[in-house]
Amino acid sequence: MSETEFTTVRNKNNYKKMENDLQNLQRKIYSPKVDLISLDNYFKVRIELPGVEKSTIKIQIKEQQIILISGIRNSEFNDLENSKVIYSETRYGNFIRRVKLPEVIKPFYFNANDCNLKNGVLYLQFEKQAEKQAEKQFEKQAEKQAEKQPEKKLNWADEI
C-alpha cells in the first residue's frame, strides 16, 4: 500500500469516527420536539418540555423571525443519596432550541412568565406582520380576479 492510499484510508477512518462521535453526542443532548403551525394571522409553536420547570424557560426573539427557547431539565434522582441509576434513556441538562418562522412577526414585548406550559407542553403564539398579511390578501384577490377574467386572445396586430 502506498503512502497516499494509506493516508486516504486513515482519513476515511477518522471521518467515520468523527461521524460516530457526533451521532453519540446528539443522542446525549436533550433537544425538545417542536411543531410549527401557520394560521391566517399568526403562528402557533408547540414544544414538548416534559419535566422542565416554567421558571427555567427563557424565550428570545431575534430579527422578528427566529425564536430561541432555552431552559434546564433537571433529573429527579439528584435528591436520592447513595442512589445508583441502573438504566436511563432520559436526557437532562441545559437545552436550547431554535425555531425559524417562515415570515416576520409583529414586534412585541414577550414575558416568559406569561407563556402557556400545560402538561409538559409549551404553547406559544406569534402574530404575523401586518404588511405581509396585506400582501397576501392582495395576492389572493389578484389571483381570484385573474381566474374570473377570460383569457384575452391576441390578434396578429397586437404582437407587434
Side-chain angles (χ1 to χ4, degrees):
M1 184 182 284
S2 73
E3 181 71 28
T4 308
E5 291 172 328
F6 179 74
T7 304
T8 303
V9 170
R10 190 175 64 200
N11 287 342
K12 284 182 182 178
N13 289 339
N14 285 343
Y15 176 75
K16 286 180 183 178
K17 184 185 180 312
M18 286 176 17
E19 196 173 60
N20 287 336
D21 290 346
L22 180 61
Q23 287 174 349
N24 289 334
L25 181 61
Q26 287 173 334
R27 281 189 216 113
K28 292 177 183 177
I29 297 172
Y30 172 58
S31 180
K33 305 288 187 227
V34 174
D35 296 327
L36 174 62
I37 298 126
S38 176
L39 297 162
D40 285 339
N41 299 329
Y42 55 92
F43 294 105
K44 280 191 171 188
V45 180
R46 180 186 174 277
I47 307 151
E48 295 179 3
L49 298 174
V52 176
E53 304 246 350
K54 191 174 186 178
S55 62
T56 69
I57 298 172
K58 291 181 182 143
I59 300 167
Q60 296 176 325
I61 301 167
K62 306 261 182 180
E63 302 169 12
Q64 293 180 263
Q65 196 171 10
I66 299 168
I67 292 106
L68 297 172
I69 302 106
S70 61
I72 302 169
R73 185 174 185 188
N74 293 318
S75 171
E76 299 169 9
F77 301 116
N78 287 345
D79 298 341
L80 303 175
E81 288 185 28
N82 300 323
S83 65
K84 180 178 178 183
V85 177
I86 306 300
Y87 192 78
S88 178
E89 292 182 351
T90 309
R91 303 292 170 236
Y92 299 101
N94 295 337
F95 68 88
I96 187 164
R97 188 64 201 260
R98 178 183 178 267
V99 179
K100 183 172 183 188
L101 302 173
E103 294 177 33
V104 175
I105 58 174
K106 273 188 175 179
F108 67 102
Y109 174 74
F110 189 82
N111 186 352
N113 294 328
D114 296 336
C115 63
N116 184 4
L117 182 66
K118 201 185 304 184
N119 295 329
V121 179
L122 178 66
Y123 297 93
L124 302 171
Q125 186 169 308
F126 302 99
E127 191 173 348
K128 293 179 182 179
Q129 184 85 7
E131 294 169 11
K132 293 285 184 181
Q133 292 171 11
E135 283 178 27
K136 283 190 173 187
Q137 288 288 20
F138 179 76
E139 288 172 7
K140 285 181 184 179
Q141 289 174 352
E143 287 174 10
K144 285 181 183 178
Q145 282 187 351
E147 290 172 4
K148 289 180 184 178
Q149 293 179 354
E151 192 175 314
K152 191 177 182 181
K153 294 187 178 182
L154 300 175
N155 64 30
W156 65 272
D158 292 334
E159 293 179 4
I160 298 177

